[in-house]
Amino acid sequence: MKKKIAILPGDGIGREIASGAASALEAVGKRFGHEFELEYANIGGAAIDSDGTPLPDSTLALAKSSDAILLGAVGGPKWDSLPSAERPERGLLAIRKELGLFANLRPIPSFQKLVQSSPLKPEIAGNVNMLIVRELTGGLYFGKPSERRGENNDVVVDTLLYTREEIERIVVKAFEFAKSRDGRLTSVDKANVLESSRMWREIVNEKAADYPEVTVDHMYVDAAAMKLISSPGQFDVIVTENLFGDILSDEASMITGSLGMLPSASLSESGLGLYEPVHGSAPDIAGQNKANPLAMILSTALMLKYSLHLREEGEAIERAVQSVLNDGFCTPDLQMEGSTIVGTDQMIKLVTERIADDVPASADEVVYM
Amino acid sequence: MKKKIAILPGDGIGREIASGAASALEAVGKRFGHEFELEYANIGGAAIDSDGTPLPDSTLALAKSSDAILLGAVGGPKWDSLPSAERPERGLLAIRKELGLFANLRPIPSFQKLVQSSPLKPEIAGNVNMLIVRELTGGLYFGKPSERRGENNDVVVDTLLYTREEIERIVVKAFEFAKSRDGRLTSVDKANVLESSRMWREIVNEKAADYPEVTVDHMYVDAAAMKLISSPGQFDVIVTENLFGDILSDEASMITGSLGMLPSASLSESGLGLYEPVHGSAPDIAGQNKANPLAMILSTALMLKYSLHLREEGEAIERAVQSVLNDGFCTPDLQMEGSTIVGTDQMIKLVTERIADDVPASADEVVYM
Ligand SMILES: [Mg+2]
Ligand SMILES: [Mg+2]
């Protein structure tokens, strides 16, 4: 298989971790006989410096002509004094919008070696493998009107707006993921109060008829915020609207014990997807060979599975990461007992070697996302 | 001091735990020389049975003529088949609305004896004493329009609406609480996206000028959802709008380790307040002498402090509860190592005796809410 991958390293540690994605893809290509053509472009602060805008047309064109997109991270103090409409983060918002990336996927795995780093007790944090599917382009963050009103501007309004089509496409996406995983879908809403949630719930129940193999339950968002702490192991796939998903996915990101391990994906209707770590550009440690490349490498695994439908290849990466952790290697951000701390380069090398060799982690310890 | 207190036991375990409130008040009255005139009325399912409506006029009139209101809990399977507009829970919504209870207060304490019951690690859960101040009558749950639109009703809209005055009064309330506590206020919003949050943040910054003794910081709601798990001990007072407060206060309620320990208060501008446990009516254990009366008793302590300005009296209750826990007594819902399990009646008796005697808990173990 030959595929063109756009790599947008961005700022801060983005460049270092992007090289982890490239190395992982090279190893996968060699082992499985694929050709990944990697093309690089700037986004965020780097693009402001090179092109005067956080999302240059050339970057967008590359993204559109690629089979999938890997993004490092954007932002840094160098650009903090710019007006908010011109900042690096705008590049990220703009590419999401231009590509119609409506489905944000946040897998929350447990890594046995990291379970002590979780704020949750090990017996609660140790058995988690959920996928949060968040609607990313509608709802309260985008609805109009969003304005001040009244004579003295003393009334303020934001609007939570969804079309049936917007809800249907994210719900269908979530059912598809639930079907390919453990067959359990939790739809989160506030249907006891919000009309939008009542329509959301109706649509989930309608679509459920097309997925008899998926068990559906409905949960209010406040109850979900409790259950994510008290019994996160109960969830398989969670689907919810934009604002609820923003809050719950960040809450859930604490369970694993390190943001440095969490990948994410944002998908369009065409299947084109952008893959990026959950963490930011960490300018304070950029260029010091300290950054944890594993979230970026695991984002690459998601890309292989979700956009290129190369499941075995993606799982080879996940197994390699697990194997390296199991052998006690970690970057300085991870708190593992009795571990060997390695730099970014060394961590990339370790994972890449194990992709090439298919060094297996012991089967019950691998979390496939 | 002579005060009239309305007690609305409600349904399920409501009656049993309300008797704990009455006993605690009697003990406080005797010791401190106050007279509490207790008047009882029905609400919820009990009121549907007696008067055909979940909030009878007589109950509302009693509430309005009282100095404060204690409520047990409402709801049960007996009334589950009623249309949603006639259910017991409507009684609660109606009384909140009729009394203008715009400020919902949720203290989140740590009890050393219960720290093992928290899903969080003891070192994280053990040092928490925050107060969440939630706006309760505005925002997305109440704004109009809230409707379906379009030819096929295929667009749905909810409206997040606040007036300046609504935001100001809750923000001022929160500053007052911060001033009387540890002097730290965290305002939670989503000002990077929502216009309502930008106005909220402006108002918080304006009011901050009137409270130089209070340190203010602003936090996005998704970040707050993370910090409540990773470092809940950092918070003193949190203030936020209705929906964010709904999600965050329920999330935070997991920290203590038992819903059976959590009181709440809802205040009006006049200072009239309704006090109730966070937990529900637990019809499955009603009438079995198993219910935990401590959240109700601690709600009574809040009432003394917040509505009647009897701080010493409220703290005497809090100390008595702490002392009983420290001596290893608990109801069946609590998981304490090496504990003596007692029934509702016995727990009420234990706490009441210690209020009367002012048996002190060791000072560093008492959490004053
Ligand atoms: Mg977020
Ligand atoms: Mg709630």
Side-chain angles (χ1 to χ4, degrees):
Chain A
M1 188 183 267
K2 185 175 171 177
K3 293 289 179 186
K4 179 169 151 188
I5 312 296
I7 300 191
L8 317 179
D11 310 317
I13 59 171
R15 265 162 216 285
E16 294 158 78
I17 61 174
S19 91
S23 297
L25 282 175
E26 197 189 331
V28 165
K30 268 198 199 133
R31 181 167 150 216
F32 291 91
H34 304 304
E35 195 180 325
F36 299 109
E37 184 193 337
L38 310 183
E39 287 203 35
Y40 291 80
N42 283 333
I43 193 167
I48 293 172
D49 290 352
S50 66
D51 293 74
T53 171
L55 180 63
D57 290 343
S58 55
T59 298
L60 182 60
L62 169 66
K64 285 186 172 169
S65 69
S66 299
D67 293 299
I69 304 143
L70 288 164
L71 189 144
V74 300
K78 184 177 176 188
W79 307 280
D80 271 357
S81 55
L82 291 173
S84 84
E86 296 169 27
R87 285 204 202 153
E89 294 75 12
R90 287 283 150 174
L92 199 50
L93 296 176
I95 197 168
R96 282 182 186 154
K97 180 156 184 269
E98 292 288 342
L99 299 179
L101 303 175
F102 71 95
N104 185 238
L105 308 175
R106 295 271 291 262
I108 310 288
S110 302
F111 298 99
Q112 288 311 315
K113 277 279 182 176
L114 289 175
V115 95
Q116 297 295 340
S117 313
S118 174
L120 300 182
K121 288 179 182 163
E123 64 269 30
I124 294 177
N127 196 21
V128 173
N129 186 8
M130 77 177 91
L131 174 67
I132 300 181
V133 180
R134 166 189 172 192
E135 203 290 327
L136 198 59
T137 54
L140 195 66
Y141 293 174
F142 294 94
K144 303 287 168 201
S146 166
E147 64 186 23
R148 313 264 175 126
R149 285 177 187 170
E151 239 176 278
N152 306 307
N153 276 337
D154 55 1
V155 174
V156 68
V157 166
D158 287 293
T159 301
L160 197 176
L161 186 149
Y162 271 110
T163 65
R164 168 168 280 273
E165 195 205 338
E166 285 175 319
I167 300 174
E168 283 178 350
R169 67 181 179 178
I170 189 77
V171 165
V172 166
K173 195 64 98 177
F175 269 108
E176 290 292 335
F177 276 106
K179 188 176 159 181
S180 74
R181 291 171 50 103
D182 201 30
R184 293 177 294 114
L185 179 64
T186 303
S187 172
V188 171
D189 63 35
K190 188 75 184 178
N192 51 341
V193 184
L194 300 178
E195 191 61 27
S196 54
S197 285
R198 284 188 278 268
M199 184 153 132
W200 179 282
R201 193 175 279 216
E202 285 167 23
I203 290 171
V204 170
N205 288 335
E206 280 167 33
K207 296 295 172 194
D210 301 335
Y211 297 89
E213 61 277 73
V214 175
T215 314
V216 179
D217 69 314
H218 300 278
M219 194 177 281
Y220 295 137
V221 60
D222 45 345
M226 297 167 83
K227 294 289 180 195
L228 279 178
I229 305 179
S230 63
S231 57
Q234 77 177 83
F235 295 107
D236 179 21
V237 177
I238 290 176
V239 63
T240 191
E241 61 91 48
N242 198 346
L243 166 64
F244 297 164
D246 186 12
I247 298 172
L248 296 183
S249 63
D250 280 342
E251 179 185 346
S253 72
M254 293 289 95
I255 300 169
T256 301
S258 173
L259 285 181
M261 297 301 297
L262 297 177
S264 78
S266 300
L267 306 181
S268 72
E269 283 195 273
S270 73
L272 181 60
L274 182 148
Y275 299 82
E276 58 182 322
V278 165
H279 63 70
S281 60
D284 52 316
I285 58 160
Q288 299 172 34
N289 198 33
K290 283 183 184 165
N292 181 351
L294 295 178
M296 183 83 244
I297 289 172
L298 290 170
S299 296
T300 311
L302 289 190
M303 179 191 80
L304 292 169
K305 293 160 79 171
Y306 295 171
S307 277
L308 307 185
H309 308 290
L310 298 172
R311 187 185 185 99
E312 204 189 333
E313 289 81 342
E315 291 187 351
I317 294 181
E318 292 170 342
R319 227 167 20 246
V321 168
Q322 191 79 63
S323 159
V324 170
L325 289 178
N326 286 353
D327 287 351
F329 296 104
C330 71
T331 42
D333 57 306
L334 301 177
Q335 288 156 12
M336 274 166 49
E337 273 171 65
S339 59
T340 308
I341 293 181
V342 298
T344 311
D345 291 348
Q346 177 72 3
M347 180 57 88
I348 292 171
K349 189 158 171 279
L350 283 164
V351 173
T352 306
E353 285 168 0
R354 286 168 201 228
I355 295 170
D357 298 346
D358 193 23
V359 175
S362 80
D364 57 338
E365 284 177 334
V366 181
V367 180
Y368 298 113
M369 285 181 259
Chain B
M1 187 184 266
K2 186 177 172 177
K3 293 290 179 186
K4 179 170 150 188
I5 311 297
I7 300 191
L8 317 179
D11 309 317
I13 60 170
R15 268 164 213 285
E16 296 158 77
I17 61 174
S19 91
S23 298
L25 282 175
E26 197 189 331
V28 165
K30 269 199 197 131
R31 182 168 148 217
F32 292 90
H34 303 303
E35 195 179 322
F36 299 109
E37 185 192 335
L38 310 182
E39 287 203 33
Y40 290 80
N42 282 333
I43 194 168
I48 294 172
D49 290 351
S50 65
D51 293 75
T53 170
L55 181 63
D57 291 342
S58 55
T59 298
L60 183 60
L62 169 66
K64 284 185 173 169
S65 69
S66 299
D67 294 298
I69 305 144
L70 287 164
L71 189 144
V74 300
K78 184 176 176 188
W79 307 279
D80 271 356
S81 56
L82 291 173
S84 83
E86 296 169 26
R87 284 203 204 157
E89 293 75 13
R90 286 283 151 175
L92 200 49
L93 296 175
I95 197 167
R96 282 182 187 154
K97 180 155 184 268
E98 291 289 342
L99 299 179
L101 304 175
F102 71 94
N104 186 237
L105 308 176
R106 296 272 291 262
I108 310 288
S110 301
F111 297 99
Q112 287 312 315
K113 277 279 181 175
L114 289 175
V115 95
Q116 297 296 341
S117 313
S118 174
L120 300 182
K121 288 179 181 163
E123 63 269 30
I124 294 177
N127 196 21
V128 172
N129 186 8
M130 77 177 91
L131 174 67
I132 301 181
V133 179
R134 167 189 172 192
E135 204 290 326
L136 198 59
T137 55
L140 196 66
Y141 293 173
F142 294 94
K144 303 288 168 200
S146 167
E147 64 186 21
R148 314 265 174 124
R149 286 177 186 168
E151 239 176 277
N152 306 307
N153 276 337
D154 54 1
V155 173
V156 68
V157 166
D158 286 293
T159 301
L160 198 175
L161 186 149
Y162 272 110
T163 66
R164 168 168 278 273
E165 195 205 338
E166 286 175 319
I167 300 174
E168 283 178 350
R169 66 181 180 179
I170 189 77
V171 165
V172 166
K173 195 63 100 178
F175 269 109
E176 290 291 336
F177 276 106
K179 188 176 157 180
S180 74
R181 290 171 51 103
D182 201 30
R184 293 177 295 115
L185 179 63
T186 302
S187 172
V188 172
D189 63 34
K190 189 75 184 178
N192 50 341
V193 184
L194 300 178
E195 190 62 26
S196 54
S197 285
R198 284 188 278 269
M199 183 153 133
W200 179 282
R201 193 175 279 216
E202 285 166 23
I203 290 171
V204 170
N205 288 335
E206 280 166 33
K207 296 294 173 195
D210 301 335
Y211 296 89
E213 61 277 72
V214 175
T215 314
V216 178
D217 69 313
H218 300 278
M219 194 177 280
Y220 295 137
V221 60
D222 45 344
M226 298 167 83
K227 294 288 180 195
L228 279 178
I229 304 179
S230 63
S231 56
Q234 77 177 82
F235 295 108
D236 179 21
V237 177
I238 290 176
V239 63
T240 192
E241 62 90 50
N242 198 346
L243 167 64
F244 297 164
D246 187 11
I247 298 171
L248 295 183
S249 64
D250 280 343
E251 179 186 345
S253 72
M254 293 290 95
I255 299 169
T256 302
S258 172
L259 285 181
M261 297 302 297
L262 297 177
S264 78
S266 300
L267 305 181
S268 72
E269 284 194 272
S270 73
L272 181 61
L274 182 148
Y275 299 82
E276 58 182 321
V278 165
H279 63 70
S281 60
D284 52 316
I285 59 160
Q288 298 172 34
N289 198 32
K290 283 183 185 168
N292 181 351
L294 294 178
M296 183 83 246
I297 289 172
L298 290 170
S299 297
T300 311
L302 289 191
M303 179 191 80
L304 291 170
K305 292 160 79 171
Y306 295 170
S307 277
L308 307 185
H309 307 290
L310 298 172
R311 186 182 184 101
E312 204 189 332
E313 289 82 344
E315 291 187 353
I317 294 181
E318 291 170 344
R319 228 168 18 247
V321 168
Q322 191 80 63
S323 159
V324 169
L325 288 178
N326 286 353
D327 286 352
F329 296 103
C330 72
T331 42
D333 57 307
L334 301 177
Q335 289 155 11
M336 275 166 48
E337 273 172 64
S339 60
T340 309
I341 293 180
V342 297
T344 311
D345 291 347
Q346 177 71 3
M347 179 57 88
I348 292 172
K349 190 159 170 281
L350 283 164
V351 173
T352 307
E353 285 168 1
R354 285 167 201 228
I355 295 170
D357 299 345
D358 194 23
V359 177
S362 80
D364 59 337
E365 283 177 334
V366 181
V367 180
Y368 298 114
M369 285 180 258

